[in-house]
Amino acid sequence: MEFTAQQESRIRLYFRTSVFLKGAISLIEIIAGVLVLFVPLSNLTTFAAGWAQGELIEQPGDFVATHLLAAAQQFSIANSIFIAVYLLSRGCIKLALVAALLKNQLWAYPASLAVLGLFVIYQLYQITLSYSLVLIGLTAFDLIVMWFIWREYEVVKSASPA
């Protein structure tokens, strides 16, 4: 499919914007992983439960508060270590790939597609276990970012000398 110069420029802008957003999400994952790792479990569960109960008093049946309260009640030390390692590794890997993509390093395009593809597969597995609108949204965003990465890779690859 051929694109006009204006369309290519717009696609490149969307690519860079989506990669920056991926970087911001990666930073949030890293911060969350550090918090889960270093903040005592009792503090996290007390905070989550307190916030959720306050929301449920104001608005019984609140979707986010209900699910946060259920998650806080099931949180354990083993879960917190897994979650921390998962968030930290995921955030660090994606942040490194984002930096390489923004520097137009050719290896980063297929590496990013492979890594995001693996994350999407895992997220789809998680969605089948527990329906989550947030996870569905993040997975859809990952697929859109993957399309932009693939598209930009094609452009960069064709423009680079053989």
Side-chain angles (χ1 to χ4, degrees), residues 9-48:
S9 176
R10 190 175 305 133
I11 290 171
R12 175 159 281 147
L13 173 67
Y14 294 155
F15 162 75
R16 293 188 70 75
T17 302
S18 68
V19 170
F20 274 116
L21 285 172
K22 238 6 192 167
I25 291 169
S26 299
L27 283 174
I28 291 168
E29 288 173 338
I30 291 169
I31 291 167
V34 168
L35 285 173
V36 169
L37 195 59
F38 292 111
V39 173
L41 180 62
S42 60
N43 290 3
L44 291 174
T45 55
T46 301
F47 172 78

Side-chain angles (χ1 to χ4, degrees), residues 94-108:
K94 288 191 317 181
L95 197 58
L97 289 170
V98 162
L101 285 171
L102 293 175
K103 292 179 183 177
N104 282 333
Q105 295 181 350
L106 204 54
W107 65 267

Side-chain angles (χ1 to χ4, degrees), residues 62-91:
D62 182 282
F63 180 81
V64 174
T66 304
H67 286 82
L68 182 62
L69 186 58
Q73 291 169 344
Q74 295 176 4
F75 212 55
S76 69
I77 292 175
N79 283 351
S80 68
I81 291 172
F82 172 79
I83 290 169
V85 169
Y86 176 76
L87 288 171
L88 285 169
S89 61
R90 180 180 163 99

